[in-house]
Every structure is written in C-alpha cells, then in structure tokens.
Amino acid sequence: DARGLVACANIAGKPDSNGSQFFITYSAAPTLDLTATIFGRVIAGAHNSTLDKMEHAPVNPQDDRPLTPLVLTSVTIHANPFAT
C-alpha cells in the first residue's frame, strides 16, 4: 500500500477481468489488497508535481473521471520496478 503503485483495473467481483485499463494510486488503498494486479510503481514523480497534478485534476462529481483526459506521453520501464 503506497502512493504511485500501477495496477490493472478489473470489474469488482469478477475473477480474471483485468484488462487494458490501469490506475495509479495516490495513497495507500487497502481495499485493493488481493483484488488488483500490481505491475509497477512510479519511481520518478511519485512525490513531485507530476503525480500531484494528476491527483488534483478537476473531476466530474458523478463518475469521478477527470474533466480533461490525463495522458502519459512517455514511460521508462526498469527491470525491477519494486527495487529500492
């Protein structure tokens, strides 16, 4: 449970429903324990303005989706994203 974890989104209660959608945690999310497949971690920007801007983007109060799409323009994949 930490800020900046990257995991597959799934349909609650449906096993093997992880798809091509993902989410990034802004804080600990114990409700996701044993329900989400975590496959990465934000290691640059986890505690700076990039993740902060994403977290504080205005959202639609009805569905909690950002009013303006958040777009990742680049990523760097490390051999072991959980290594410290």
Side-chain angles (χ1 to χ4, degrees):
D1 288 329
R3 180 176 175 81
L5 296 180
V6 184
C8 291
N10 60 27
I11 300 168
K14 287 195 170 191
D16 302 320
S17 65
N18 294 343
S20 61
Q21 293 183 341
F22 66 93
F23 60 89
I24 300 171
T25 60
Y26 297 127
S27 62
T31 56
L32 300 174
D33 290 352
L34 303 176
T35 65
T37 302
I38 297 170
F39 63 89
R41 181 175 72 174
V42 177
I43 57 175
H47 301 287
N48 73 14
S49 63
T50 302
L51 200 53
D52 288 342
K53 285 179 184 177
M54 291 172 65
E55 181 178 13
H56 295 100
V59 297
N60 180 329
Q62 294 178 337
D63 61 13
D64 209 30
R65 292 177 185 235
L67 296 177
T68 304
L70 302 175
V71 179
L72 300 176
T73 57
S74 68
V75 297
T76 300
I77 299 172
H78 294 272
N80 183 353
F82 294 100
T84 55

